[in-house]
């Protein structure tokens, strides 16, 4: 028994000595060897990556960026040369009012309208091509379809403009109240506006941030405020900017001006909500006639009719 224990202890000591030798001598050399190999690989890697990058250029670029986007840019450039400047200025103004000026340019929007017209032409041609309509009727259908397809982006743009203006008008009273409280607390108009833009979000806040950026870049405050009102095209915003410009020009109290404008715009907003509420009974007539009344007639009259038929 003692011999077995002695042999186990000797083997354990030998194993520990072997592990210490491996840890001190062999492992450091292996790690150094791996580092040398990694350095050699990193030095030889740029040549390979350049070749791979050159080989992967056409394969890795998506089809939209490789073909569709350059074709669209070329079409937009040709349309911008042919289209009148007044039309481009009008489209640019509508894009700014919709908040899409950074996403789409006037030539690109005209390309979208052209693609909509072409797609509608193809759809009408496939639907009417094999029918028994006369040639004049086919031409009329294709003409009407092309006009409708070209006008659909315009309609969508107008809807976006109206939604953005409604959101700005809805958010303006709250922003004015916060401005009034901040200025009365001792902050300047710019500091109060900066505090509000840092803590709030929305279309009006984005326009206020652009106003601050224009003033910071050196634009005259009056011009920046006029541009702010023209980008929004909301009557309350125009009144607010006009009052601020007049207060700065005449040197009147900013807090009193903001308080009056906040009360005025809050009252205008209240009147607008009342007017919309007065329109609700008129707007609900059509859903009542089309959907609710037929269901009521079915529920109330069908059992009576079934009972009369059964008695007869």
């Amino acid at each position: 028994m003692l011999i077995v224990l002695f042999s186990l202890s000797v083997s354990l000591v030998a194993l520990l000595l072997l592990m210490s030798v491996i840890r001190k001598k062999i492992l450091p050399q292996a790690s150094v060897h791996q580092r040398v190999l990694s350095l050699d690989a990193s030095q030889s890697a740029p040549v390979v990556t350049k070749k791979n990058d050159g080989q992967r250029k056409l394969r890795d670029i998506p089809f939209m960026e490789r073909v569709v986007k350059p074709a669209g840019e070329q079409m937009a450039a040709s349309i911008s040369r042919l289209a009148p400047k007044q039309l481009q200025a009008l489209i640019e103004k509508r894009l700014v009012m919709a908040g899409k000026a950074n996403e789409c340019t006037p030539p690109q929007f005209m390309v979208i309208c052209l693609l909509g017209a072409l797609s509608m032409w193809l759809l009408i041609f496939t639907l009417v091509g094999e029918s028994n309509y006369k040639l004049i009727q086919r031409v009329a259908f294709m003409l009407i379809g092309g006009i409708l397809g070209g006008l659909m982006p315009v309609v969508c743009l107008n809807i976006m403009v109206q939604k953005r203006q409604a959101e700005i008008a809805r958010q303006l009273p709250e922003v004015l109240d916060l401005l009034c409280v901040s200025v009365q607390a001792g902050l300047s108009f710019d500091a109060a506006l900066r505090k509000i833009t840092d803590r709030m979000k929305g279309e009006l806040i984005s326009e206020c941030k652009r106003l601050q950026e224009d003033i910071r870049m050196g634009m005259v405050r009056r011009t920046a405020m006029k541009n702010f009102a023209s980008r929004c095209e909301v009557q309350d915003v125009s009144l607010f900017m006009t009052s601020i410009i007049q207060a700065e020009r005449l040197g009147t109290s900013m807090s009193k001006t903001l308080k009056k404008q906040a009360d005025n715009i809050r009252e205008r907003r209240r009147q607008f909500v009342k007017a919309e509420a007065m329109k609700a009974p008129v707007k609900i007539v059509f859903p009542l006639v089309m959907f609710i009344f037929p269901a009521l007639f079915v529920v109330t009259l069908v059992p009576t009719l079934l009972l009369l038929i059964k008695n007869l």
Side-chain angles (χ1 to χ4, degrees):
M1 186 67 182
L2 293 175
I3 297 172
V4 174
L5 292 175
F6 179 75
S7 61
L8 288 175
S9 61
V10 170
S11 61
L12 182 60
V13 170
L15 180 63
L16 291 175
L17 290 174
L18 182 62
M19 289 180 62
S20 63
V21 171
I22 291 172
R23 190 172 291 179
K24 290 182 179 180
K25 299 293 184 181
I26 299 175
L27 288 179
Q29 293 179 0
S31 63
V32 170
H33 183 65
Q34 289 178 358
R35 291 179 182 178
V36 171
L37 290 177
S38 64
L39 289 174
D40 294 336
S42 64
Q43 290 178 358
S44 61
V47 179
V48 178
T49 54
K50 286 182 181 179
K51 292 181 181 180
N52 292 333
D53 291 339
Q55 293 176 358
R56 286 184 293 177
K57 276 184 179 179
L58 293 177
R59 186 173 64 243
D60 294 340
I61 297 174
F63 179 77
M64 294 291 293
E65 296 181 1
R66 189 173 68 248
V67 177
V68 178
K69 189 175 180 180
E73 291 178 353
Q74 188 174 2
M75 289 177 62
S78 60
I79 288 176
S80 63
R81 289 193 298 268
L82 298 175
K85 299 296 182 182
Q86 293 82 5
L87 180 61
Q88 294 187 25
L90 179 61
I91 294 174
E92 184 177 4
K93 184 178 180 180
R94 300 297 293 178
L95 289 172
V96 169
M97 291 171 61
K100 304 296 182 182
N102 296 326
E103 301 177 6
C104 183
T105 60
Q108 291 177 355
F109 183 77
M110 287 187 279
V111 169
I112 293 172
C113 294
L114 181 60
L115 292 177
L118 290 175
S119 61
M120 285 299 295
W121 278 337
L122 291 175
L123 180 61
I124 296 298
F125 181 77
T126 54
L127 293 176
V128 182
E130 297 180 356
S131 60
N132 296 324
Y133 292 107
K134 296 182 180 179
L135 181 61
I136 298 176
Q137 294 175 342
R138 294 179 183 179
V139 172
F141 286 149
M142 291 183 66
L143 182 62
I144 294 172
I147 292 172
L148 293 177
L151 290 178
M152 283 302 295
V154 180
V155 174
C156 295
L157 182 63
N158 291 331
I159 292 173
M160 287 189 288
V161 170
Q162 292 176 0
K163 287 184 178 180
R164 187 168 184 267
Q165 288 177 345
E167 184 178 354
I168 289 173
R170 180 184 56 81
Q171 198 175 13
L172 182 61
E174 182 181 0
V175 173
L176 273 178
D177 291 338
L178 293 175
L179 275 174
C180 181
V181 171
S182 301
V183 172
Q184 287 178 352
L187 293 176
S188 63
F189 179 78
D190 294 335
L193 190 62
R194 194 179 305 113
K195 290 288 185 182
I196 291 171
T197 54
D198 291 339
R199 288 169 172 80
M200 293 182 66
K201 295 181 180 179
E203 296 295 335
L204 182 61
I205 301 301
S206 63
E207 290 295 334
C208 292
K209 289 181 180 179
R210 185 172 177 181
L211 172 66
Q212 292 176 337
E213 291 176 359
D214 291 341
I215 295 173
R216 197 180 300 116
M217 292 298 292
M219 186 180 293
V220 181
R221 183 185 295 272
R222 188 184 308 167
T223 306
M225 289 183 177
K226 289 181 180 179
N227 293 336
F228 176 81
S230 64
R231 287 195 301 269
C232 295
E233 283 289 333
V234 179
Q235 187 176 5
D236 294 340
V237 175
S238 300
L239 293 174
F240 170 59
M241 288 291 108
T242 304
S243 64
I244 296 298
I245 292 171
Q246 289 179 355
E248 290 184 350
R249 182 183 298 177
L250 299 176
T252 58
S253 177
M254 185 63 69
S255 61
K256 292 181 180 179
T257 303
L258 288 173
K259 189 175 185 306
K260 290 180 181 179
Q261 287 298 316
D263 295 339
N264 185 18
I265 291 177
R266 182 70 68 181
E267 183 63 27
R268 289 172 60 89
R269 182 66 181 173
R270 191 178 296 111
Q271 291 177 359
F272 174 76
V273 172
K274 287 182 180 179
E276 291 295 323
M278 294 293 290
K279 295 178 183 176
V282 180
K283 293 181 179 179
I284 206 173
V285 170
F286 298 101
L288 281 173
V289 174
M290 297 296 295
F291 303 105
I292 299 176
F293 284 166
L296 289 176
F297 291 154
V298 169
V299 171
T300 56
L301 296 179
V302 167
T304 306
L305 291 175
L306 292 176
L307 184 59
L308 290 174
I309 293 171
K310 184 177 181 180
N311 292 329
L312 291 175

